[in-house]
Amino acid sequence: MSGTVIFFLVLYYVVVLGIGYWAMRRGAGEDLEGYLLGGRQVGPITTALTMQSTAMSGYMFLGAGGLGFAQGYWALWYAAGDIGGGLLNLSVIGRRMRKLSQMMGALTAIEYLEKRYPSPAIRLVAGSLTIFLLGFYVLAQLIAGGKGMALVTGISYPLALAIAVGIILIYTFMGGYLAVAYTDFFQSLVMLVGVMWIVIAALSELGGFTAANVAIGELDPTLLSVWGRGLGFEGQWGVVAGALLIFSVGYMGWPHVVTRHMAMSSPATARRAGFWATIWSLFFVPAPYLVGIFAILILPGLDDPEMAIFQVAEQLLPAAVTGLVMAAIMAAIMSTADSLLLQTGSIASRDIYERFINPRASERQMVMVSRGLVLAVALVGYAIALVEPPTVFSIVIFATSVLGSAFLPAYVCAVWWKKANTPGALASMIIGASVAFIWQYAGLVETTQMHPMLTGVVSSTITMIVVSLATQKISPVPPHVLDAMNVSAEVGPIPARYLDATEFGLANEAAAIANGLEEGGHNG
Amino acid sequence: MVKEKLLTVIREQVDSATALQNIAGMTGGVSVVVERSVLYPYIRFTASCSVPTMIGRKAISVDCLVDGINGLGATADPFSTGQLVLCDEVRLQPKITTDEAQRTAQRTVTHQLGRQFRMIAPFDVKLEAAGTIYKRFWIIKIGNGRIMTDSVTGNMHTLNATAA
């Protein structure tokens, strides 16, 4: 790694820290408003790019490129689902979940499930599953961070991994300066420009798309097909369906993603942000897969396919650009790891410890529990990543398949199906997670040619429907939940143009005022 | 002799004429009329917190409002208040106790701090109760439906037809 790359890498972090410091000085003063409510001033483009920046994990920079390198154009099945996933998620459950969660007073995605499907068992199962699976997701970020750090700095992988884990823990325990939308916005722009730059440089190196495809075809024509290297997935529509589903509808079952709906400021912002997020994804999402495919020609002797993007960047880009792009990628990986760890810690302290073990826990005890779990996840992850690191792709696909299978019907039915009840949701989560897990680890993908995401989601959906219908009499959906669902879906006699101007945040006041007026109110 | 009731209210930014005008601008000829106004209760707390930063702990404060009827909390932008003598407004009565509101406020502020600063740290949140305050909502009849308008932000929300 050249001195120029290191210089621009350091420069990148100085700029990011500078933006964070400037934003804090500008917005905060001595009170909290600039921090807590600053997001209200942020427009849809910044909101969209901030969302995408934090959502793009090590998978995009290591797993996607590695898959493209290993399987050729077959990898684009995953990209196809991913491009529309964000918009689908916002459209199907975004608005209703935002309203319903506020009406029920839920602060976390797990607490929301318990309030919609009233039972401590829901919280216990959902919280435990989420902690377990997010732990795997964190592991993928640690490996990605370690590999990236080793390449960027030239130090050994074990040491680079230790540094990456250390930095992520400092992020999580100290935080502060990173929590500014403008730093994420800047990071997102650098990521997009950088990845596009790598694609263009690769195409330029290879003489354009047609020439690249011709060369790949000469090397191995099956890499140009939609069935993978050696036509290994030919006719396996069950696997293709899973690849499409995992990052499209799968998003709707990820607690760490749907929790964003609960923090949306307004429907108008959400809609416009969804549009910009889709535009961003359209350009960004296919790029890492394509770089991986082009790396087949540019780096034929590549040892670790998951390093395709880093290696292509290093080989083709000017040193200064390589430094900036790699820094942005590293920052994105660490920022995602930090977010995942925070959510894991929050679920452990609030949804498990406070709810089931110590309901009168003090703030300091909660912090201790959160930090303890985060430290344990980081240390276990470090050990696994050091001793026998799996590929980032395999970990992310495993964790997201099981998460999506477990929670997709629970979150979707929570806002769309009034008969979805507690036994249905509980059984759906357990069956969905179990089927996806077993499918993956019993080697059933090869024998059945079905993706674990597909079998998991189908089984959890069927379970939700059958169990909910069978238990309507013994476990009806409580009236207050039905009322909240009715309000969250309310259209009424008001023309659509007024609904466009409706402010989510007033849903509770609106319900209370409507009731108050019905009762005659209290004058004086 | 009727005893006057003095209430603390959040100072209005949007009067009834403006609220009506905003909605009339979207109606395209449908008649709109201000039917009444409703005073909605919130229990107010001032939270003092301490946030660890790279250059030491930083003392900050924030207002937290707890919905007096639904018991839900939210941090609030700075606002000013005034006194109001209750006339023909409909005033909704708070349904939650100060203790319940305090628990909600504590949880809300702590959660917001952790989410916003993306860190796991003790923030030493100390709350000071500042009593019940009210916010006015304009209830506007439009055709067969009703819309309420927030007198502070101008935001709107539909009211269901049977209730209004």
Side-chain angles (χ1 to χ4, degrees):
Chain A
M1 189 64 42
S2 76
T4 313
V5 171
I6 302 283
F7 171 78
F8 277 94
L9 197 147
V10 172
L11 181 68
Y12 172 87
Y13 279 106
V14 169
V15 171
V16 167
L17 286 173
I19 292 172
Y21 183 72
W22 166 78
M24 285 175 78
R25 294 277 300 179
R26 175 176 166 268
E30 288 304 311
D31 81 311
L32 196 54
E33 302 305 331
Y35 300 110
L36 288 190
L37 304 172
R40 288 187 189 169
Q41 316 301 324
V42 175
I45 298 179
T46 309
T47 303
L49 266 65
T50 300
M51 255 175 60
Q52 295 304 100
S53 164
T54 48
M56 292 302 144
S57 66
Y59 169 81
M60 288 307 291
F61 306 109
L62 283 90
L67 186 64
F69 187 88
Q71 297 293 346
Y73 278 94
W74 186 84
L76 292 183
W77 286 118
Y78 284 90
D82 202 353
I83 288 171
L87 188 63
L88 193 67
N89 194 1
L90 279 167
S91 309
V92 175
I93 61 173
R95 176 189 162 94
R96 288 184 178 214
M97 181 173 173
R98 168 68 178 84
K99 209 165 177 178
L100 195 60
S101 63
Q102 176 160 2
M103 295 197 75
M104 294 178 160
L107 291 179
T108 69
I110 304 299
E111 186 182 4
Y112 164 77
L113 282 179
E114 188 192 19
K115 286 181 184 282
R116 168 59 181 83
Y117 306 108
S119 163
I122 288 281
R123 193 149 172 168
L124 188 62
V125 170
S128 307
L129 265 176
T130 307
I131 289 173
F132 176 69
L133 294 165
L134 288 191
F136 277 92
Y137 216 158
V138 170
L139 171 63
Q141 310 311 315
L142 299 184
I143 294 172
K147 283 183 175 182
M149 184 74 77
L151 186 81
V152 169
T153 59
I155 58 179
S156 67
Y157 172 70
L159 182 58
L161 184 65
I163 292 172
V165 172
I167 292 175
I168 289 166
L169 285 177
I170 290 171
Y171 264 37
T172 312
F173 290 166
M174 297 180 71
Y177 62 92
L178 287 166
V180 183
Y182 298 103
T183 59
D184 286 339
F185 175 75
F186 172 71
Q187 184 176 294
S188 178
L189 274 184
V190 174
M191 276 163 51
L192 180 61
V193 172
V195 170
M196 293 306 295
W197 198 327
I198 300 173
V199 172
I200 292 166
L203 283 172
S204 172
E205 172 79 7
L206 298 171
F209 244 118
T210 307
N213 287 337
V214 168
I216 292 171
E218 285 170 0
L219 199 68
D220 181 351
T222 63
L223 291 170
L224 295 175
S225 77
V226 293
W227 302 118
R229 190 184 288 269
L231 303 179
F233 296 101
E234 188 171 16
Q236 296 186 21
W237 288 106
V239 178
V240 170
L244 280 168
L245 288 174
I246 195 162
F247 296 130
S248 52
V249 299
Y251 272 135
M252 290 185 275
W254 301 356
H256 61 291
V257 171
V258 296
T259 195
R260 288 195 211 119
H261 301 317
M262 298 163 68
M264 285 193 306
S265 58
S266 75
T269 299
R271 262 196 301 275
R272 288 196 290 270
F275 168 77
W276 285 110
T278 304
I279 296 290
W280 192 91
S281 295
L282 204 58
F283 285 100
F284 181 83
V285 169
Y289 294 94
L290 288 174
V291 173
I293 294 168
F294 298 147
I296 295 168
L297 300 170
I298 298 167
L299 303 163
L302 184 64
D303 291 334
D304 181 355
E306 295 211 315
M307 297 308 289
I309 291 175
F310 286 96
Q311 299 276 20
V312 170
E314 191 182 15
Q315 181 151 330
L316 299 182
L317 299 187
V321 180
T322 308
L324 289 177
V325 171
M326 286 192 178
I329 291 174
M330 292 300 295
I333 290 170
M334 292 192 182
S335 166
T336 304
D338 159 62
S339 295
L340 292 170
L341 281 171
L342 280 173
Q343 293 209 33
T344 310
S346 165
I347 292 167
S349 61
R350 196 167 295 288
D351 292 310
I352 303 289
Y353 179 73
E354 185 189 33
R355 178 72 177 79
F356 296 106
I357 300 169
N358 183 3
R360 305 191 73 82
S362 67
E363 189 193 348
R364 286 194 176 270
Q365 285 174 315
M366 303 270 281
V367 168
M368 290 276 285
V369 170
S370 284
R371 284 185 167 177
L373 187 94
V374 164
L375 203 57
V377 168
L379 290 176
V380 170
Y382 176 75
I384 296 172
L386 193 63
V387 176
E388 195 177 349
T391 63
V392 171
F393 175 79
S394 62
I395 307 172
V396 170
I397 295 301
F398 163 73
T400 52
S401 295
V402 182
L403 272 174
S405 302
F407 294 113
L408 175 64
Y411 281 116
V412 173
C413 293
V415 291
W416 284 102
W417 194 36
K418 289 179 186 167
K419 289 186 176 174
N421 64 5
T422 304
L426 195 59
S428 164
M429 284 191 273
I430 294 169
I431 296 290
S434 305
V435 168
F437 185 89
I438 291 167
W439 220 264
Q440 185 82 38
Y441 279 91
L444 294 175
V445 180
E446 289 75 22
T447 52
T448 62
Q449 300 183 353
M450 303 284 271
H451 198 289
M453 177 71 192
L454 180 64
T455 51
V457 165
V458 168
S459 55
S460 60
T461 305
I462 291 171
T463 305
M464 169 66 97
I465 294 167
V466 171
V467 176
S468 290
L469 291 176
T471 56
Q472 282 297 301
K473 285 190 179 167
I474 56 167
S475 182
V477 179
H480 73 276
V481 173
L482 291 173
D483 287 346
M485 287 183 75
N486 284 332
V487 174
S488 76
E490 191 175 73
V491 176
I494 306 297
R497 59 184 178 277
Y498 303 126
L499 288 174
D500 285 345
T502 290
E503 166 57 40
F504 276 137
L506 295 176
N508 288 301
E509 281 93 340
I513 287 173
N515 287 335
L517 293 176
E518 199 171 44
E519 292 164 5
H522 305 274
N523 195 335
Chain B
M1 179 181 166
V2 178
K3 191 179 174 185
E4 287 187 338
K5 297 203 172 186
L6 209 57
L7 303 176
T8 303
V9 293
I10 302 176
R11 211 175 286 282
E12 294 171 21
Q13 306 292 326
V14 178
D15 61 18
S16 60
T18 310
L20 197 60
Q21 199 176 8
N22 289 344
I23 290 177
M26 297 188 290
T27 58
V30 178
S31 69
V32 292
V33 59
V34 176
E35 194 174 65
R36 66 183 91 181
S37 71
V38 172
L39 294 174
Y40 197 95
Y42 297 89
I43 300 164
R44 181 183 186 183
F45 294 91
T46 302
S48 306
C49 328
S50 166
V51 176
T53 71
M54 286 185 296
I55 49 170
R57 293 187 81 89
K58 187 178 177 68
I60 48 183
S61 67
V62 64
D63 265 323
C64 182
L65 294 181
V66 178
D67 182 323
I69 294 176
N70 295 295
L72 305 174
T75 50
D77 286 317
F79 59 84
S80 57
T81 57
Q83 299 291 311
L84 174 84
V85 178
L86 192 66
C87 297
D88 55 352
E89 299 91 350
V90 173
R91 179 178 60 137
L92 300 184
Q93 301 282 5
K95 290 182 179 172
I96 63 164
T97 66
T98 306
D99 282 351
E100 288 168 335
Q102 178 138 0
R103 278 196 293 277
T104 301
Q106 181 87 29
R107 193 163 174 257
T108 302
V109 173
T110 307
H111 174 80
Q112 282 281 54
L113 285 165
R115 193 170 70 83
Q116 189 69 22
F117 285 94
R118 284 197 204 161
M119 73 169 107
I120 301 172
F123 298 111
D124 299 329
V125 176
K126 292 183 179 63
L127 294 173
E128 191 180 327
T132 302
I133 61 172
Y134 290 82
K135 181 160 73 171
R136 189 193 296 273
F137 286 92
W138 302 110
I139 308 300
I140 295 168
K141 192 169 188 312
I142 167 171
N144 293 325
R146 283 171 175 80
I147 287 180
M148 64 176 214
T149 296
D150 185 324
S151 69
V152 178
T153 63
N155 287 333
M156 293 177 258
H157 201 289
T158 54
L159 294 176
N160 70 55
T162 54

